[in-house]
Amino acid sequence: MKLIPVLLTALLLAQFTFSQTGKDIVSTREIERINWMEFRDAVPSKINTVILPTGTLEPHGVANNGADNTAPFAMAKTIVPRVNALIAPTLPYGITGSMEAYPGAFQINEAAYRPFVKQILEGLAKNGFRNIIVLNGHGGGQTAVLQAVAAEVAADRKVRTLVINWWSFASDETKAVFGEDGGHAGWNETAFIQAIDPTLVHPERYKQEMATPYPPAGTWSAVPFPSSIGLYQKGQGYPRFDQAKANEYYKKVTDKVAAFVNEIIGKWDLAGL
């Protein structure tokens, strides 16, 4: 019964801190764009949460190859006023997997990626952040690595970490807005990018044959995957380029993520962790 008042108090405090005297705490919420004196004065006394966007470069149907970076960075910029956080520079290269053969794709193997990510998270902890939120834009093997490393850093550095795969976390919003499931570079992800910047999406290049449903477990496997649009459910998730629905989806997803981050931080605080 005490949780709701605690969460509301935390949220109101964050909103008050952000808008105090009509000015923000820092000149920008992006770490790479503030100087060391601003950082020193804000972290951790006024801001103790940081968002790290992670992604990779790989094909996304008729959206940009960097969609996995574009989405979490835009989301981070949208939600920082509500979670009172700073944004760390996006980690744009990742474990691409079965689409690395496509033009413009990059692959970082786990042996290189894992220690690099760990040092980034350790650096964020060293600089005073108590809550480290990884907003991940790319799944596959990258998700497992991020979750494992985040758990290690939380235990070793006595900080609190949260890894969110936004498209999976928002699957209920995908079905609510579009009436069906989505896919990699499907209607949901393409719409999210379309809402951020319509110039990054090119409907004139789209053909339905560019999409392939992902195979049921144990049926077949192909490398490279034959399509850069992978559907979660057969017959669902084909891109349709509806700007109004794209804008609605972006708002619902970012609202959901912001509320969840505040909820988790509130529960950490309530538990005294």
Side-chain angles (χ1 to χ4, degrees):
M1 295 297 293
K2 296 179 180 179
L3 180 58
I4 292 176
V6 170
L7 293 177
L8 288 174
T9 300
L11 180 57
L12 290 173
L13 178 61
Q15 290 176 332
F16 170 76
T17 303
F18 179 78
S19 60
Q20 58 183 336
T21 68
K23 296 180 180 179
D24 197 1
I25 299 165
V26 285
S27 58
T28 172
R29 289 280 168 153
E30 297 173 50
I31 289 177
E32 63 189 319
R33 295 173 64 87
I34 61 175
N35 62 51
W36 67 272
M37 291 171 285
E38 278 191 284
F39 192 102
R40 175 200 61 196
D41 294 344
V43 180
S45 60
K46 298 173 183 175
I47 302 173
N48 67 359
T49 300
V50 63
I51 298 175
L52 172 65
T54 57
T56 196
L57 288 166
E58 67 173 5
H60 279 80
V62 295
N64 58 318
N65 275 11
D68 287 346
N69 303 318
T70 302
F73 177 65
M75 186 182 304
K77 290 186 71 174
T78 297
I79 72 173
V80 284
R82 286 175 267 179
V83 302
N84 191 32
L86 293 183
I87 307 171
T90 301
L91 181 54
Y93 299 101
I95 304 174
T96 294
S98 65
M99 292 191 184
E100 72 160 311
Y102 283 80
F106 285 76
Q107 171 83 307
I108 306 298
N109 64 38
E110 183 177 339
Y113 187 76
R114 177 183 284 267
F116 186 55
V117 170
K118 186 169 185 178
Q119 290 203 349
I120 293 172
L121 298 184
E122 289 175 335
L124 294 171
K126 176 191 76 73
N127 275 286
F129 291 108
R130 177 72 169 144
N131 308 310
I132 301 173
I133 314 301
V134 179
L135 268 186
N136 184 36
H138 176 65
Q142 181 163 306
T143 296
V145 172
L146 289 171
Q147 290 175 339
V149 170
E152 292 170 12
V153 173
D156 294 345
R157 298 286 178 155
K158 305 301 184 222
V159 294
R160 309 177 311 186
T161 62
L162 172 64
V163 179
I164 303 174
N165 281 351
W166 74 264
W167 67 97
S168 295
F169 180 71
S171 61
D172 55 342
E173 300 296 353
T174 297
K175 293 168 185 174
V177 173
F178 305 119
E180 58 188 57
D181 210 344
H184 176 271
W187 194 359
N188 57 327
E189 190 174 19
T190 302
F192 202 82
I193 299 301
Q194 185 177 350
I196 295 166
D197 184 353
T199 68
L200 297 177
V201 178
H202 297 274
E204 73 280 0
R205 289 181 172 267
Y206 173 70
K207 296 178 182 178
Q208 189 165 311
E209 300 78 46
M210 297 170 68
T212 300
Y214 284 122
T219 58
W220 61 271
S221 176
V223 178
F225 194 72
S227 299
S228 64
I229 302 174
L231 307 177
Y232 299 147
Q233 302 288 335
K234 186 176 181 180
Q236 300 182 26
Y238 293 98
R240 300 187 192 175
F241 314 106
D242 184 320
Q243 188 67 49
K245 283 190 177 293
N247 295 341
E248 178 188 0
Y249 185 60
Y250 184 86
K251 184 179 186 308
K252 285 182 177 293
V253 171
T254 52
D255 285 350
K256 181 181 175 70
V257 171
F260 183 65
V261 170
N262 279 325
E263 177 187 348
I264 295 300
I265 292 175
K267 289 181 177 180
W268 281 332
D269 291 343
L270 181 65
L273 301 173

